[in-house]
Amino acid sequence: HVQLVESGGGSVQAGGSLTLACEFSGSTYGNCMGWFRQAPGKEREFVARISVVGTTDTADSVKGRFTISRGNADNTLYLQMNSLKPDDTAMYYCAVRLSSVCYNRAETFEYWGRGTQVTVS
């Protein structure tokens, strides 16, 4: 069973930075991991993903500003967010897809954390 716990959210001014962390337990080896976000009244949307071999992909809306990575020595997934904009305000979720094949669609991910709120003003 996989458990995911996000942290690092908060309130920041436009142009600022935040680093989100997702601690995961259980067997995630060989699986795809990702970050998604959901703003009030909107559908959950893809932000970034990383494959088992480290291949990454980010949404066009955050490309060049957000970076996804895995910790080398710990079971942690990170999302470094720079040059934050008010449009980045949302609840951010990390997720695991039990496959080495990565997709950007939320419905393909089986396990989810409870989310961490990011507010940019």
Side-chain angles (χ1 to χ4, degrees):
H1 183 66
V2 176
Q3 290 185 312
L4 307 167
V5 180
E6 302 96 335
S7 63
S11 296
V12 64
Q13 291 188 335
S17 298
L18 284 173
T19 300
L20 304 184
C22 173
E23 293 187 46
F24 52 89
S25 60
S27 178
T28 61
Y29 179 78
N31 298 319
C32 178
M33 300 193 72
W35 286 97
F36 293 79
R37 66 186 183 186
Q38 188 167 17
K42 295 186 177 181
E43 292 188 354
R44 191 167 297 190
E45 65 174 358
F46 165 75
V47 176
R49 59 165 172 84
I50 185 166
S51 73
V52 63
V53 296
T55 303
T56 63
D57 189 24
T58 52
D60 288 343
S61 60
V62 305
K63 204 175 293 288
R65 300 188 297 123
F66 291 12
T67 303
I68 187 172
S69 64
R70 274 188 165 125
N72 289 328
D74 56 4
N75 288 347
T76 307
L77 180 72
Y78 297 98
L79 184 68
Q80 174 67 43
M81 305 186 296
N82 299 324
S83 303
L84 283 160
K85 305 175 181 179
D87 284 349
D88 296 319
T89 295
M91 184 72 79
Y92 282 71
Y93 300 89
C94 67
V96 172
R97 167 175 162 77
L98 299 180
S99 171
S100 60
V101 178
C102 271
Y103 297 105
N104 296 349
R105 300 191 306 273
E107 62 268 25
T108 65
F109 285 75
E110 290 92 347
Y111 291 95
W112 293 82
R114 293 188 174 184
T116 185
Q117 178 68 38
V118 172
T119 303
V120 185
S121 59

